Amino acid sequence: MMGAINDWTVRDLWARAEKQGGEWPLAALRALREEVFPFAYLKSAHIPASLLVQVPFFAFELCKGGYSAVELRKAGYSIADIRTAGYVAHDLREAGFSAQEVNLSAEEMRMGGYTVHELRGAGYSAKQLNRVGFSVQDIFRGGYSARQFRVAFEGYDNISLELARIAGYSLKELAGAGYPPKDFKRIGVVWPEMRDLGFSIDELQDAGFLPSKMSVDELLKKLAPTFDFFV
């Protein structure tokens, strides 16, 4: 035991160990490992994390001591150790860890600066991103499909399609995502825009884009005297 350990003690011990070289630096650190002192003393003495990992000092101890996630990664600590050491998503992103490796909550990932594109690649759903404040445009630009967008906004029945249009999805994409014709009617889409979206005549009639079957029959009867092919 060394007695009371202060910042100066650690600095002096490390300076002497570095000067001796060889096995001295690791031997000095192993001696320090047995003592109780603030881990910030290690940082203030400029002891590299690459040596501390060999003693070993734990990742959470170095985090408390002021070492960055970048330093720990370079030193060889695992993502599992660093991830649970007390660093936030921003620290982990700066250290070069992917969204898939970090895998914290969607809110933490957003606060950490991960992009929608990165989060989509890591398996986060559009619904998760919607819940933590990403905009509809973010979700569109991040590469989510119109169908995934629709699932994300399931509770927004009256405005879901309108939001999807604001985001940037085409009418063709939205029709393929399963939005019914009545929703298109509600947001002001007109008949010429509906023609090539793949809806059936019955669906378009029910939504009011085409006259009802009875109206069509009446129209044919009215036109029959004029055109021979109706006879």
Side-chain angles (χ1 to χ4, degrees), residues 165 171 184-191 193-194 197 209:
R165 286 293 282 158
L171 293 177
F184 289 85
K185 184 76 170 178
R186 186 171 55 243
I187 68 168
V189 178
V190 295
W191 159 242
E193 297 175 291
M194 297 293 292
L197 299 186
F209 284 104

Side-chain angles (χ1 to χ4, degrees), residues 28-229:
L29 294 177
R30 290 190 179 108
L32 282 175
R33 170 80 275 188
E34 303 300 318
E35 306 297 324
V36 178
F37 61 93
F39 299 114
Y41 292 173
L42 300 171
K43 181 72 172 175
S44 63
H46 304 292
I47 301 173
S50 58
L51 286 178
L52 296 173
V53 70
Q54 298 177 51
V55 176
F57 282 87
F58 298 112
F60 78 89
E61 295 172 324
L62 270 60
C63 179
K64 288 182 178 179
Y67 287 86
S68 70
V70 174
E71 291 174 296
L72 266 65
R73 185 178 191 186
K74 287 180 179 177
Y77 286 91
S78 70
I79 176 59
D81 290 335
I82 299 173
R83 187 175 174 273
T84 57
Y87 295 102
V88 297
H90 175 75
D91 300 322
L92 300 175
R93 191 170 193 269
E94 282 196 335
F97 291 111
S98 70
Q100 192 165 9
E101 290 174 306
V102 176
N103 194 33
L104 295 173
S105 72
E107 174 64 17
E108 290 173 294
M109 299 297 276
R110 185 181 72 82
M111 296 296 291
Y114 284 94
T115 66
V116 175
H117 183 78
E118 290 173 309
L119 296 176
R120 183 176 66 84
Y124 291 82
S125 70
K127 178 176 282 191
Q128 287 175 294
L129 303 194
N130 170 43
R131 286 174 176 169
V132 300
F134 283 103
S135 72
V136 295
Q137 289 91 347
D138 290 332
I139 292 171
F140 170 71
R141 292 169 189 151
Y144 287 95
S145 69
R147 190 173 295 278
Q148 290 170 317
F149 184 95
R150 188 184 182 199
V151 171
F153 288 86
E154 280 178 327
Y156 300 70
D157 288 342
N158 290 331
I159 61 170
S160 176
L161 182 60
E162 187 172 2
L163 291 174
R165 286 293 282 158
I166 292 170
Y169 294 98
S170 69
L171 293 177
K172 191 75 171 176
E173 289 174 309
L174 297 173
Y179 285 99
K182 63 181 178 62
D183 287 355
F184 289 85
K185 184 76 170 178
R186 186 171 55 243
I187 68 168
V189 178
V190 295
W191 159 242
E193 297 175 291
M194 297 293 292
R195 291 174 122 173
D196 300 319
L197 299 186
F199 293 113
S200 70
I201 291 177
D202 286 343
E203 289 176 308
L204 294 171
Q205 286 175 337
D206 289 342
F209 284 104
L210 293 175
S212 67
K213 188 174 186 303
M214 184 178 296
S215 297
V216 171
D217 289 341
E218 290 173 352
L219 182 61
L220 292 177
K221 287 178 183 178
K222 184 178 180 180
L223 293 175
T226 309
F227 298 99
D228 292 339
F229 59 80

